[in-house]
Amino acid sequence: MSFFNKVFASIGIGAATVDTKLEKSNYFGGEHVNGVVVIKGGNSEQHIDSIYLTLYTTYIRESDDKKYTDYAPIEKVRISEPFTISSNEQKELPFSFQMPFDTPVTYGNTRVWVATGLDIKNAVDPKDKDYIEILPNKLTESVLSSIQQLGFKIRKVECEQAPRRFRTHYPFIQEFEFIPVNGEFRSKLDELEVVFISQDKNQAELLLQVDRKARGLKGLLSEALEMDESYVKLSVSNSDIPQLTEKIRTSIQRFS
């Protein structure tokens, strides 16, 4: 085996490559992701400690009063034991993992992708990136649809750096920003922001930020001091879906 081939492989020239092929390109939170990883050997034999898949998303991070687009891992899955791939050999490894229920939906500027990497000692770790679409599951879709039935329209959807009090196992939260365009809240609210604090198969914890319109001098002062915003925590489940619009309406009315 050529010494130069080994050296080149260690710096990424003529090294093993990886290509992940997903069963499809769009998923719901909680759905199983199936596919196969194709590894092609390079110019020399290489020992691979593991193959791993990492699910990432983008989010907006603030630092020194400036905003930056950053990325964060959502899930990491190891799909192989250590093995050796020979020069020009090709291996295919099937895999399956469950998409986390709280994976952000790819609305607005939110991007989600699967990055595949080979853990190779003393060598460049080749990676492959596959962007996917995350669709809202039944409960998430029902929440968003109910809010729109109340006369709201989505203005912006973005993952943002989470305040410490709302930070769980991710450094971000996904925020849905609505504005009232018709209905009873048009003259009462400036906007409504909705965050899914947690989600699983059957239920979700929501945080609603209700931003009231300024009314008179007191209202203008409250708005100037950012005291016109109220927060509502709301638990919803699949069993609530038939009455979800009314449940959300009642929660908003308390502070509108």
Side-chain angles (χ1 to χ4, degrees), residues 36-98:
V36 61
V37 175
V38 180
I39 311 101
K40 294 181 180 179
N43 293 337
S44 65
E45 179 182 276
Q46 287 184 286
H47 182 73
I48 297 171
D49 291 328
S50 67
I51 299 178
Y52 52 91
L53 304 175
T54 308
L55 190 68
Y56 287 100
T57 191
T58 53
Y59 73 101
I60 302 301
R61 175 178 57 84
E62 289 194 27
S63 179
D64 299 324
D65 296 324
K66 294 182 180 179
K67 292 186 176 183
Y68 303 89
T69 300
D70 207 340
Y71 62 92
I74 301 170
E75 185 89 338
K76 187 171 184 177
V77 182
R78 179 175 172 170
I79 64 168
S80 80
E81 297 298 323
F83 67 94
T84 297
I85 188 161
S86 302
S87 172
N88 298 317
E89 181 186 4
Q90 179 169 307
K91 288 182 179 289
E92 294 189 1
L93 298 176
F95 65 84
S96 179
F97 70 92
Q98 187 176 28

Side-chain angles (χ1 to χ4, degrees), residues 26-244:
N26 51 70
Y27 298 89
F28 297 95
E31 188 175 356
H32 278 84
V33 181
N34 300 309
V36 61
V37 175
V38 180
I39 311 101
K40 294 181 180 179
N43 293 337
S44 65
E45 179 182 276
Q46 287 184 286
H47 182 73
I48 297 171
D49 291 328
S50 67
I51 299 178
Y52 52 91
L53 304 175
T54 308
L55 190 68
Y56 287 100
T57 191
T58 53
Y59 73 101
I60 302 301
R61 175 178 57 84
E62 289 194 27
S63 179
D64 299 324
D65 296 324
K66 294 182 180 179
K67 292 186 176 183
Y68 303 89
T69 300
D70 207 340
Y71 62 92
I74 301 170
E75 185 89 338
K76 187 171 184 177
V77 182
R78 179 175 172 170
I79 64 168
S80 80
E81 297 298 323
F83 67 94
T84 297
I85 188 161
S86 302
S87 172
N88 298 317
E89 181 186 4
Q90 179 169 307
K91 288 182 179 289
E92 294 189 1
L93 298 176
F95 65 84
S96 179
F97 70 92
Q98 187 176 28
M99 184 72 64
F101 284 98
D102 52 1
T103 301
V105 297
T106 49
Y107 284 177
N109 296 323
T110 304
R111 297 290 179 268
V112 174
W113 67 94
V114 178
T116 310
L118 305 183
D119 188 3
I120 304 175
K121 189 175 182 180
N122 300 324
V124 171
D125 179 2
K127 287 187 172 65
D128 175 49
K129 184 187 290 187
D130 295 274
Y131 285 92
I132 56 177
E133 181 183 9
I134 306 299
L135 306 170
N137 59 30
K138 182 179 179 181
L139 182 55
T140 301
E141 178 62 38
S142 295
V143 169
L144 301 179
S145 177
S146 293
I147 293 172
Q148 291 175 84
Q149 288 177 32
L150 291 172
F152 291 90
K153 177 182 178 181
I154 292 181
R155 177 164 61 185
K156 185 173 70 171
V157 182
E158 202 164 58
C159 288
E160 299 180 353
Q161 186 173 8
R164 289 193 177 276
R165 65 185 183 278
F166 299 130
R167 195 171 298 176
T168 54
H169 48 293
Y170 303 142
F172 63 86
I173 53 176
Q174 186 170 37
E175 183 178 270
F176 296 80
E177 186 178 295
F178 294 86
I179 54 172
V181 292
N182 54 59
E184 64 180 290
F185 298 111
R186 184 179 179 184
S187 60
K188 297 179 180 179
L189 302 181
D190 282 329
E191 64 180 19
L192 174 70
E193 296 178 2
V194 181
V195 171
F196 289 77
I197 300 175
S198 64
Q199 285 179 277
D200 60 29
K201 183 178 181 180
N202 299 309
Q203 59 186 13
E205 291 288 328
L206 308 180
L207 180 69
L208 311 181
Q209 180 179 307
V210 183
D211 188 356
R212 297 180 295 275
K213 280 187 178 292
R215 298 189 188 93
L217 180 60
K218 184 178 179 181
L220 290 171
L221 288 172
S222 294
E223 191 170 72
L225 296 172
E226 297 184 350
M227 296 170 59
D228 59 325
E229 297 174 349
S230 299
Y231 294 90
V232 185
K233 274 192 174 182
L234 184 64
S235 297
V236 297
S237 66
N238 289 333
S239 61
D240 291 322
I241 289 177
Q243 300 84 31
L244 195 53

